[in-house]
Amino acid sequence: MPPEDDAQLGLRERKKRETRTALSQATIRLCIERGWDNVTVEDVAAAANLSVRTFRNYFSSKAEAIAASHLERMLRIADSLRTQPVTEPLWDSIVHAVQAEFAPGGETGEPSPHDQRWRDGLRLMLAEPALQGEVVKVSAAAEEELAKAIAERTGTDVTRDVYPKLVAAVVGAGSAVAVEYCLRADPPVPLTPVLREVFDRIATGLAT
């Protein structure tokens, strides 16, 4: 394939990824603000300045659209691991990548009233059975991609060695625990220090 065709293909894939992200983020925002039952596909398409047909080309439901954001975030973590210096300890690279995706603003201050409303809406949204099923599916796909990146980084074989799959599963579980903890904490706590504590404990072998 000529280089210009490669470039064109890369541009198309990037635009598709951007469209998926725009639809996913619009679905999340509306469902948190209005409540799950008060958001339609038509609402999401309008909020993303796209057509309902475009939404249907990418997703079969609101739940699938929302879960896509989790997959995209984990794919970016995998991409980040591939670009980090190989001289950096693996768990340091993982912590940096996870924090960059889950708490990009370096959440360190006290949550504002808006943040609390957002947490409340997010808790209600995540309790939807349809969404929980989609999250399970994309989590499996995310772990597979993350395991591939860890295998490349550590010189292991993702098809034969336990290590890359184990680390990928632990990263997914640790991230989920940190987010769940922060969503339910009363009073609210910022995510960044909780993520740091979770992965510090994992890196030390979960010592008591």
Side-chain angles (χ1 to χ4, degrees):
M1 184 179 291
E4 59 270 20
D5 290 343
D6 283 339
Q8 191 64 31
L9 180 61
L11 178 61
R12 283 200 300 270
E13 289 305 315
R14 186 164 67 250
K15 286 185 176 297
K16 287 181 181 179
R17 199 165 174 177
E18 289 171 353
T19 300
R20 285 176 60 85
T21 299
L23 288 168
S24 182
Q25 292 298 319
T27 309
I28 292 170
R29 178 173 56 80
L30 291 178
C31 285
I32 290 177
E33 291 175 351
R34 303 180 186 178
W36 181 268
D37 293 329
N38 299 318
V39 176
T40 65
V41 169
E42 288 76 12
D43 294 332
V44 173
N49 293 317
L50 295 166
S51 68
V52 173
R53 181 179 179 181
T54 299
F55 182 98
R56 297 296 187 192
N57 285 340
Y58 284 88
F59 304 114
S60 63
S61 65
K62 292 184 295 183
E64 187 177 330
I66 291 171
S69 273
H70 175 61
L71 177 59
E72 181 67 24
R73 179 164 49 197
M74 298 305 286
L75 292 177
R76 289 196 298 267
I77 290 172
D79 290 342
S80 177
L81 287 180
R82 291 185 172 99
T83 61
Q84 296 296 332
V86 294
T87 54
E88 183 177 54
L90 175 63
W91 282 104
D92 288 350
S93 294
I94 288 173
V95 169
H96 295 156
V98 170
Q99 286 185 345
E101 293 301 329
F102 280 87
E107 246 179 289
T108 55
E110 288 301 316
S112 70
H114 170 77
D115 291 331
Q116 183 57 51
R117 289 195 297 272
W118 185 266
R119 284 176 169 82
D120 292 342
L122 186 57
R123 274 202 306 269
L124 290 173
M125 184 185 75
L126 292 175
E128 287 295 325
L131 179 55
Q132 290 174 347
E134 287 296 334
V135 169
V136 169
K137 287 194 289 186
V138 300
S139 292
E143 280 188 18
E144 183 176 342
E145 290 303 314
L146 190 55
K148 291 177 184 176
I150 292 165
E152 293 172 19
R153 175 66 179 268
T154 58
T156 52
D157 188 330
V158 75
T159 62
R160 294 185 302 166
D161 297 321
V162 170
Y163 186 77
K165 291 185 177 182
L166 177 60
V167 173
V170 169
V171 170
S175 302
V177 166
V179 171
E180 173 75 7
Y181 178 86
C182 289
L183 285 177
R184 298 192 179 280
D186 185 17
V189 296
L191 181 57
T192 293
V194 177
L195 279 170
R196 189 175 301 116
E197 179 184 354
V198 165
F199 284 98
D200 282 349
R201 290 183 178 276
I202 290 172
T204 56
L206 289 177
T208 310

